[in-house]
Amino acid sequence: MVTLRSAGVICIERNFISLSLTNFFAMDIFIPFEIKEIEHASYHPIVVAIIGHEQINMILDTGASRTVLSNNLVVNFDKTTGDDEEAFAAGINAQRMQVEQVVIPSIRIGDLEFFDMLIFSTDLNAVSSLYEQMAGIRIDGLLGCDFLVKYGGVVDFNTQRMVLTKFHQANKSF
């Protein structure tokens, strides 16, 4: 059996040495996450990512339509405008939040690097403070459904990993 390990290393097991490139590029990719208990019977999956040399914590949020990062992480990145629409986000309470669209040149999520990712940025200080009080961790962003849809993400709580079934199709830089 051939498996893809971190950083694109191929491991050949049980003496199978035949590997076609078609099979290699059809393999699923896995990103681990940790399940954090926020309060009794209330959980969030947390994905670790790296921007530059800084490790950040992101909630894997299937209820967030877009990926969002704290605005203090993206001050040096290029802002961009969308399809001539005002950029905004709304939480479950339907309160609008001002956001900016930003292009992240490189972000490492798990063992994979993603390039030129378009995200929203906003002030997440209140959210991060609340998480630090409740769970002892800082939250720097939300990994949203835009990411999951683009990469064919499937969240598997039993194995505590996210499976990306379309990584090779969507990320030509691999």
Side-chain angles (χ1 to χ4, degrees), residues 158-171:
N158 290 325
T159 62
Q160 292 189 30
R161 62 186 186 175
M162 175 178 25
V163 182
L164 303 183
T165 63
K166 294 193 257 181
F167 176 76
H168 296 293
Q169 296 167 356
N171 196 11

Side-chain angles (χ1 to χ4, degrees), residues 106-154:
S106 172
I107 182 170
R108 181 168 287 278
I109 303 173
D111 289 331
L112 303 170
E113 191 153 1
F114 299 85
F115 299 96
D116 299 320
M117 184 182 285
L118 180 66
I119 59 99
F120 280 175
S121 72
T122 193
D123 183 357
L124 294 178
N125 287 328
V127 172
S128 189
S129 292
L130 182 62
Y131 269 83
E132 282 189 278
Q133 291 173 11
M134 296 176 77
I137 63 168
R138 183 187 79 245
I139 293 299
D140 304 296
L142 309 172
L143 192 59
C145 277
D146 57 336
F147 180 88
L148 294 170
V149 169
K150 180 176 182 178
Y151 295 106
V154 177

Side-chain angles (χ1 to χ4, degrees), residues 11 17 26 28 33 69 90 96 101 105 107 144 164 174:
C11 179
I17 54 175
D28 293 339
F33 61 84
L69 288 176
R96 289 172 68 113
Q101 290 187 73
I107 182 170
L164 303 183
F174 184 79

Side-chain angles (χ1 to χ4, degrees), residues 9 17-18 30 32 45 58 60 62 66 85 110 122 139 169-170 174:
V9 175
I17 54 175
S18 173
F30 304 96
M58 300 178 76
L60 178 53
T62 61
R66 297 290 300 266
E85 296 179 22
T122 193
I139 293 299
Q169 296 167 356
F174 184 79

Side-chain angles (χ1 to χ4, degrees), residues 1-3 10-24 27:
M1 165 183 255
V2 178
T3 57
I10 299 172
C11 179
I12 301 176
E13 301 170 3
R14 295 191 184 156
N15 296 327
F16 286 100
I17 54 175
S18 173
L19 171 65
S20 74
L21 288 178
T22 303
N23 289 338
F24 173 75
M27 287 184 204

Side-chain angles (χ1 to χ4, degrees), residues 30-91:
F30 304 96
I31 295 176
F33 61 84
E34 181 181 351
I35 299 172
K36 277 290 200 183
E37 186 170 22
I38 306 307
E39 54 188 7
H40 178 69
S42 178
Y43 306 94
H44 281 147
I46 305 297
V47 174
V48 174
I50 297 174
I51 296 178
H53 298 289
E54 186 171 353
Q55 181 173 311
I56 64 172
N57 297 310
M58 300 178 76
I59 298 171
L60 178 53
D61 192 347
T62 61
S65 57
R66 297 290 300 266
T67 296
V68 178
L69 288 176
S70 178
N71 55 8
N72 61 354
L73 291 173
V74 299
V75 292
N76 296 320
F77 298 130
D78 292 334
K79 312 298 188 274
T80 185
T81 57
D83 305 320
D84 296 326
E85 296 179 22
E86 178 187 3
F88 77 93

